[in-house]
Amino acid sequence: IVFAGQLCLRKGIKTLLDALTLAGRSDWHVDFLGGDTGETARDFAAYRGATPLQFHGAVPQAQLADAMRAGAVLVLPSLEEGFGLVVPQALNCGLPCVVSDRVGAKDLIRHRENGSLVPARDAANLATELAWWAQHPKRLTESFGWTEPARQLIARSAAAAA
């Protein structure tokens, strides 16, 4: 499982940790790629799930792409997320995405075709979808380009401000 983004409260880290605890899967592991704000330290310290966690910190884009190509699923259980650029990046790397209904990029997700959409703060539903993808592994062939979604977002934001 790949989590890419800043380790902070709004990213839904506690929901992910609760889902992992519910799943009880020691054969899974989560790679956390992103800077740590310290906001989630208490949640990580309280985690008692069976799934091992590995922290990589902030990484260059090439390393992020490699992690996405090696992963089985991206998870982004955010409580709020303007867009979530990591979603099209992961899809472009062939990685299905399990995202909350608060992630702007949720519009790119077709349930159980290229990912799953789960309600924010719903650890049980998140655990169910992660288990579904573990039972139905899939590499995607969609192409979003690595930087094109960011360029489109910037252009649309500029047009809206004009």
Side-chain angles (χ1 to χ4, degrees):
I1 300 170
V2 176
F3 175 92
Q6 195 172 50
L7 302 181
C8 62
L9 295 175
R10 72 180 189 86
K11 295 292 187 174
I13 300 290
K14 182 170 183 339
T15 302
L16 173 57
L17 297 174
D18 290 346
L20 295 171
T21 300
L22 287 171
R25 300 285 299 261
S26 61
D27 58 325
W28 295 355
H29 73 273
V30 182
D31 288 305
F32 287 92
L33 300 116
D36 188 351
T37 65
E39 294 176 359
T40 56
R42 211 178 292 161
D43 296 326
F44 283 114
Y47 174 68
R48 298 292 178 260
T51 304
L53 312 177
Q54 186 168 8
F55 301 91
H56 302 274
V59 298
Q61 291 290 302
Q63 188 176 341
L64 177 60
D66 288 343
M68 288 178 173
R69 285 186 206 98
V73 66
L74 174 92
V75 63
L76 189 59
S78 297
L79 306 179
E80 65 168 358
E81 189 76 45
F83 182 72
L85 185 57
V86 296
V87 174
Q89 289 175 328
L91 293 170
N92 192 54
C93 289
L95 195 60
C97 299
V98 178
V99 304
S100 81
D101 57 1
R102 307 269 177 92
V103 173
K106 69 182 180 281
D107 295 339
L108 299 174
I109 302 302
R110 294 180 313 280
H111 192 68
R112 293 191 173 170
E113 287 181 38
N114 69 351
S116 298
L117 190 61
V118 298
R121 298 183 194 263
D122 188 339
N125 196 299
L126 180 57
T128 297
E129 290 307 310
L130 291 172
W132 190 90
W133 283 101
Q135 292 173 343
H136 303 90
K138 181 178 186 179
R139 294 313 291 181
L140 307 176
T141 58
E142 297 177 74
S143 180
F144 290 91
W146 189 253
T147 57
E148 186 55 29
R151 275 190 275 246
Q152 286 182 18
L153 185 60
I154 291 168
R156 289 180 184 173
S157 295

